[in-house]
């Protein structure tokens, strides 16, 4: 299979046409309800992520599948179960990395705020469940990312998620006031990302005057995120 072939190649042997579009294709496979297809898709994502040229594009493509701001329609056409699957795969890939690369990607891609936003989704139990599971892996790894997540979700939820045998058991225990507090702490991050997305949309509109722009492909391959944004969670009060 393609996955086994790619896994057997050295960096020098990777074909030049193996690019970010492979990451997009692997993620599209995740939307299947066939468990065998999903398993193969997850394995392919892992294989692609292990290839140095595709490590960052793979992670950004997964994040781009579920990164959604409250009231923003950026992922309105993406099925919730696909967003949840992408989040689960992303969290597993991250925690399986060497600690330095894990910390680097958590910081540069603002991983923790996006997972917390996923937990706070009120329109999809699948997404909220995936956010809880991802955060549980983050909390188990400790370090700066774990502390950032703890500050964003609050002490009670942090303890519940960290100590639960299954993170999805936390969902019935979520309180509306806690979700409101999470969104309040995340307001600087949400505002920064919303501004960045608006600027990106305006840029794409200008570029479309000179030719067609494949916005979705560009979003996945370039990472349609404000990589300089930080949540400043520790400075926010509920």
């Amino acid at each position: 299979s393609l996955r086994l072939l790619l896994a057997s190649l050295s960096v020098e042997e990777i074909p030049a046409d193996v690019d970010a579009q492979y990451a997009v294709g692997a993620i599209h496979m995740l939307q299947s309800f066939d468990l065998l297809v999903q398993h193969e898709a997850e394995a392919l994502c892992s294989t692609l992520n292990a290839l140095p040229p595709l490590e960052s594009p793979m992670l950004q493509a997964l994040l781009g599948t579920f990164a959604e701001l409250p009231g923003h329609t950026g992922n309105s056409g993406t099925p919730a179960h696909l967003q949840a699957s992408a989040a689960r795969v992303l969290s597993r890939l991250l925690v399986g990395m060497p600690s330095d690369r894990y910390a680097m990607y958590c910081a540069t891609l603002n991983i923790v705020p996006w997972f917390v936003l996923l937990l706070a989704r009120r329109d999809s139990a699948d997404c909220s469940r995936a956010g809880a599971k991802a955060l549980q892996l983050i909390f188990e790894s400790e370090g700066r990312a774990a502390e950032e997540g703890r500050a964003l979700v609050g002490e009670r939820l942090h303890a519940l998620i960290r100590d639960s045998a299954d993170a999805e058991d936390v969902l019935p225990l979520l309180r509306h006031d806690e979700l409101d507090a999470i969104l309040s702490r995340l307001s600087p991050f949400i505002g920064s990302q919303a501004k960045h997305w608006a600027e990106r949309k305006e840029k794409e509109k200008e570029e479309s005057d000179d030719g067609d722009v494949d916005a979705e492909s560009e979003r996945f391959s370039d990472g349609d995120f404000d990589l300089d944004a930080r949540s400043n969670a520790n400075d926010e009060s509920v």
Side-chain angles (χ1 to χ4, degrees), residues 88-232:
R88 285 192 292 268
V89 173
L90 177 59
S91 62
R92 291 168 189 159
L93 291 179
L94 284 168
V95 298
M97 288 182 165
S99 58
D100 59 336
R101 299 197 67 74
Y102 164 77
M104 184 269 289
Y105 280 118
C106 282
T108 59
L109 294 181
N110 297 297
I111 293 294
V112 174
W114 286 120
F115 280 153
V116 173
L117 273 175
L118 201 65
L119 171 70
R121 288 273 295 273
R122 306 187 195 200
D123 62 329
S124 169
D126 280 347
C127 288
S128 186
R129 186 179 302 111
K133 288 180 175 293
L135 286 170
Q136 186 172 59
L137 292 177
I138 296 288
F139 293 155
E140 289 173 354
S141 67
E142 300 184 344
R144 183 174 179 178
E147 288 304 312
E148 182 181 13
R150 180 176 183 173
L152 287 172
V153 303
E155 292 296 331
R156 190 185 85 93
L157 278 184
H158 171 263
L160 285 174
I161 294 172
R162 181 197 61 198
D163 299 334
S164 293
D166 191 332
E168 69 177 76
D169 294 340
V170 173
L171 265 62
L173 304 177
L174 290 176
R175 301 197 310 249
H176 288 295
D177 63 314
E178 287 177 315
L179 297 179
D180 290 339
I182 285 173
L183 293 178
S184 177
R185 297 184 192 109
L186 281 170
S187 59
F189 174 77
I190 294 171
S192 175
Q193 292 295 327
K195 179 181 178 182
H196 172 73
W197 285 10
E199 292 172 349
R200 183 64 175 259
K201 186 175 181 180
E202 182 62 29
K203 180 181 177 182
E204 289 175 352
K205 182 179 179 181
E206 293 174 357
E207 291 175 345
S208 67
D209 294 336
D210 300 322
D212 293 332
V213 176
D214 186 347
E216 182 175 0
S217 175
E218 186 172 312
R219 172 189 174 85
F220 280 151
S221 60
D222 293 344
D224 189 12
F225 315 106
D226 179 2
L227 302 185
D228 294 325
R230 296 293 179 269
S231 62
N232 296 320

